[in-house]
Amino acid sequence: MTEKRYWQNTEPYHLVEVILENDEVIFKDWFDSGKDPNRYDWSFEEFITGKGKSEIEYQLGTTVYQEILHEIKLRL
């Protein structure tokens, strides 16, 4: 079983989380906790080529994006 890694913001009323699972980056963005989140799934290969970069940097910052990218490179 592949180890999961998890990141999230700490803003109240707007939850964003990123999960690494099964060779995918799963990005979830809740504006309303009572509704389903906006969800994006990217393969590790897609993520390395820049997919999801702007979403993650905007919501969680460049440092978190770099940390996620580093973790993915360790797994490939």
Side-chain angles (χ1 to χ4, degrees):
M1 178 151 81
T2 305
E3 178 189 346
K4 291 183 188 179
R5 281 294 309 268
Y6 177 82
W7 295 263
Q8 78 176 42
N9 68 346
T10 56
E11 257 182 68
Y13 310 113
H14 182 202
L15 176 63
V16 174
E17 62 183 25
V18 178
I19 303 166
L20 301 185
E21 183 177 10
N22 301 326
D23 298 330
E24 285 189 327
V25 178
I26 302 167
F27 176 87
K28 296 180 183 178
D29 183 4
W30 285 268
F31 286 106
D32 181 346
S33 61
K35 302 203 179 201
D36 290 337
N38 294 320
R39 178 182 168 140
Y40 302 94
D41 296 61
W42 303 292
S43 69
F44 284 177
E45 290 78 19
E46 289 175 322
F47 194 79
I48 286 175
T49 62
K51 289 214 176 195
K53 179 179 181 181
S54 60
E55 289 90 342
I56 291 174
E57 284 187 333
Y58 179 74
Q59 297 293 344
L60 300 173
T62 302
T63 303
V64 170
Y65 173 77
Q66 293 297 328
E67 185 179 328
I68 295 167
L69 191 59
H70 176 73
E71 181 69 27
I72 288 170
K73 288 179 179 179
L74 292 175
R75 293 181 182 207
L76 291 178

